[in-house]
Amino acid sequence: MTAQRALVRRTALSVTAGAAAFLLAACGGDSGSGGHDMGSMESDSGPTATASAKAGDHNDADVDFSKEMIQHHRQAVDMAELAADRASSQEVKDLATKVKGAQDPEIKTMSGWLTSWGEDVPEEMSGAMDHDMSSAMPGMMSGKDMDKLEKASGAEFDTMFLTMMVEHHEGAVEMAGTEKADGKYGPAKKLADDVVTAQTAEIKQMNEMLGKN
């Protein structure tokens, strides 16, 4: 009987120990799961906090640059689309494609910045009056200028387009220089630097096409 009781006692102790081990493992799993959940919460809040910090890290110069350069780029894209239809030189057509390909994505990028800052994205210009309202920006063509370009064709169009686009690019370089000097938002200053580099090179190319270099 004594031996039998000892066996029963050992069996009971084994069961108790196994149950305790199971409970500890379960608690450990819950703790790990809880830690994972907290990590997920921290991870979820991290990008939002970072985005908010980035959105606030700008000044009025960044806002002005983005709004004005969007309008400036839109007019360049309009001119490039005209060149795709009207230019007689394949070299001019290729340049126009390059201009549109570079500036369309930059318009989207700057529009995204403005939205993240709680600023309005400028509306699309339409008609001579809107072009005239924006012509105070460096290098912008007036409504009359755009009308002349639309009516030109062949070699006349090529010369007019290149001459206008040189002036347009020079204005963009000036605006970008102001952003580099006065802006605060890193990506905007980087875009301004890219504008200066790319459009200065294109100015040189267009002047060569015009026979000025």
Side-chain angles (χ1 to χ4, degrees):
M1 289 294 292
T2 302
Q4 204 170 14
R5 284 177 183 170
L7 178 62
V8 170
R9 186 180 178 193
R10 283 198 299 270
T11 302
L13 286 172
S14 297
V15 170
T16 303
F22 176 80
L23 287 171
L24 284 171
C27 288
D30 287 343
S31 174
S33 176
H36 177 72
D37 289 344
M38 287 299 293
S40 298
M41 288 171 65
E42 289 172 6
S43 175
D44 290 343
S45 65
T48 303
T50 302
S52 298
K54 287 182 178 178
D57 193 22
H58 69 283
N59 60 16
D60 289 344
D62 298 317
V63 174
D64 290 343
F65 169 74
S66 299
K67 287 187 174 185
E68 293 179 2
M69 192 61 83
I70 284 171
Q71 296 286 49
H72 209 270
H73 274 17
R74 281 174 178 164
Q75 188 177 70
V77 169
D78 287 345
M79 294 167 68
E81 289 174 346
L82 280 174
D85 293 333
R86 303 289 184 85
S88 62
S89 164
Q90 186 60 46
E91 191 175 9
V92 171
K93 288 178 180 288
D94 291 343
L95 174 68
T97 299
K98 183 180 177 183
V99 168
K100 178 177 169 61
Q103 298 194 23
D104 257 342
E106 291 177 349
I107 291 170
K108 292 182 177 65
T109 295
M110 291 183 286
S111 297
W113 294 340
L114 290 171
T115 300
S116 74
W117 297 335
E119 300 283 348
D120 293 332
V121 177
E123 295 182 3
E124 292 273 1
M125 291 186 298
S126 60
M129 182 177 295
D130 286 331
H131 281 291
D132 286 338
M133 288 175 65
S134 299
S135 63
M137 284 184 276
M140 285 287 281
M141 299 297 110
S142 67
K144 186 180 291 186
D145 292 330
M146 293 299 290
D147 285 344
K148 286 180 181 178
L149 189 63
E150 287 178 10
K151 292 173 183 175
S153 61
E156 180 189 13
F157 176 92
D158 293 353
T159 299
M160 191 178 297
F161 170 80
L162 292 171
T163 302
M164 288 183 176
M165 193 61 85
V166 166
E167 182 179 346
H168 203 272
H169 273 24
E170 287 172 344
V173 169
E174 180 182 337
M175 292 163 65
T178 300
E179 167 61 16
K180 288 175 67 176
D182 300 337
K184 180 181 179 184
Y185 189 56
K189 291 167 74 73
K190 174 62 169 62
L191 188 146
D193 192 52
D194 291 343
V195 166
V196 171
T197 300
Q199 297 202 21
T200 297
E202 289 173 357
I203 289 168
K204 181 180 179 182
Q205 178 186 355
M206 290 186 286
N207 280 328
E208 288 173 351
M209 291 165 71
L210 287 166
K212 293 184 178 181
N213 287 347

